[in-house]
Amino acid sequence: MKKKTMAKIGSLALASMLTVPMFAGCGDEGGATASGGNANAEYSLQIYVYEQGYGKGWVEKAAQEFVKKYPNYKYTIHGDGGALEKMYTQIKYDNCKVEDAPIDIALIDDSNYYELVGLGKLVDLTDLMDAELPDSDQKVKDIIPQDHLDWRAVNGVQYGIPWQDNCANGIIYNKSFFEKYDLQVPETMDEYFELCEEILALDLWDDPTYSDVEAPLVWAGAG
């Protein structure tokens, strides 16, 4: 099985296994085989994931479900808090390895997506997106939010499958804090910046050993 094909299959498995079955073909009694594979052969997948606040348990769960259906696949999950930066460099310079083993599946950062497409480092996933899901009248692209498809489209072509739903973002605020200090929820970026200045100007502490400066914003990222 060609590594590029294996990577396509594995990427779809991890991206969608929690919600839909993986592609299946006719296999022997030992279990199904992923599209393009040999039911009598064994395949090993090296999976490289960003392991910070997200952890890697969700990837492990997806991989376990995948091998239940396709038992001729084995996998090793490599978690790394610096994976996003490392993968960008490795993909850019064609050296995608972890512990000297070629990486089959990797989670990459959207911030480098367009650059990697422009450099020709990502594979055209049109055939994969148009493939029909088993036991369903839907295609792969039908289960991906349209916002994701629109954002990743480059000249109408998709080069990535989302592994998290982060197209939309919002602000969680302390309602009682806002009511106590008569603060208004911003509706524009200008109002947001003005709110930050208001919070910074508040006299919040009676204890002189504490600073009166209150951070107006905490980014609840994956780190």
Side-chain angles (χ1 to χ4, degrees):
M1 186 180 195
K2 293 182 179 179
K3 183 167 293 297
K4 190 170 288 187
T5 302
M6 183 182 289
K8 284 187 179 182
I9 291 172
S11 297
L12 176 64
L14 291 182
S16 62
M17 184 53 66
L18 296 180
T19 54
V20 298
M22 178 52 194
F23 290 127
C26 297
D28 293 340
E29 293 181 358
T33 178
S35 177
N38 182 336
N40 297 313
E42 288 192 356
Y43 303 106
S44 177
L45 294 174
Q46 300 296 319
I47 305 170
Y48 190 51
V49 303
Y50 176 56
E51 185 181 16
Q52 280 284 8
Y54 296 114
K56 60 180 181 180
W58 65 279
V59 181
E60 180 69 39
K61 181 178 179 180
Q64 288 174 358
E65 292 299 315
F66 179 68
V67 297
K68 283 180 184 178
K69 192 171 183 65
Y70 308 105
N72 57 328
Y73 280 79
K74 310 299 179 185
Y75 66 88
T76 301
I77 298 175
H78 306 270
D80 187 342
L84 300 182
E85 295 81 7
K86 292 177 183 177
M87 276 311 307
Y88 164 69
T89 302
Q90 290 190 16
I91 292 173
K92 186 174 181 179
Y93 295 103
D94 300 318
N95 184 32
C96 298
K97 292 184 177 181
V98 58
E99 297 180 3
D100 293 327
I103 297 171
D104 299 297
I105 304 166
L107 308 184
I108 65 171
D109 189 354
D110 281 348
S111 62
N112 304 125
Y113 176 74
Y114 292 107
E115 179 183 358
L116 293 175
V117 171
L119 292 172
K121 301 299 182 180
L122 302 184
V123 177
D124 181 341
L125 298 181
T126 299
D127 291 345
L128 189 64
M129 291 292 187
D130 290 336
E132 293 184 357
L133 295 166
D135 304 320
S136 172
D137 58 358
Q138 291 183 303
K139 296 180 179 180
V140 173
K141 63 184 178 184
D142 296 332
I143 64 169
I144 299 175
Q146 189 60 45
D147 285 346
H148 285 272
L149 295 175
D150 292 343
W151 191 89
R152 287 178 173 79
V154 179
N155 296 325
V157 177
Q158 299 287 330
Y159 294 90
I161 292 179
W163 59 274
Q164 61 176 336
D165 185 6
N166 64 348
C167 274
N169 294 288
I171 297 175
I172 299 174
Y173 68 97
N174 186 327
K175 185 176 180 180
S176 61
F177 179 85
F178 272 57
E179 291 175 348
K180 179 179 179 179
Y181 293 99
D182 194 26
L183 300 172
Q184 301 300 312
V185 178
E187 296 184 0
T188 66
M189 287 307 299
D190 286 340
E191 292 178 1
Y192 171 77
F193 292 130
E194 290 174 5
L195 172 65
C196 290
E197 294 299 327
E198 286 185 61
I199 294 175
L200 288 172
L202 293 175
D203 186 9
L204 300 173
W205 300 100
D206 295 328
D207 188 337
T209 62
Y210 282 88
S211 168
D212 280 340
V213 177
E214 181 81 1
L217 174 68
V218 175
W219 178 61

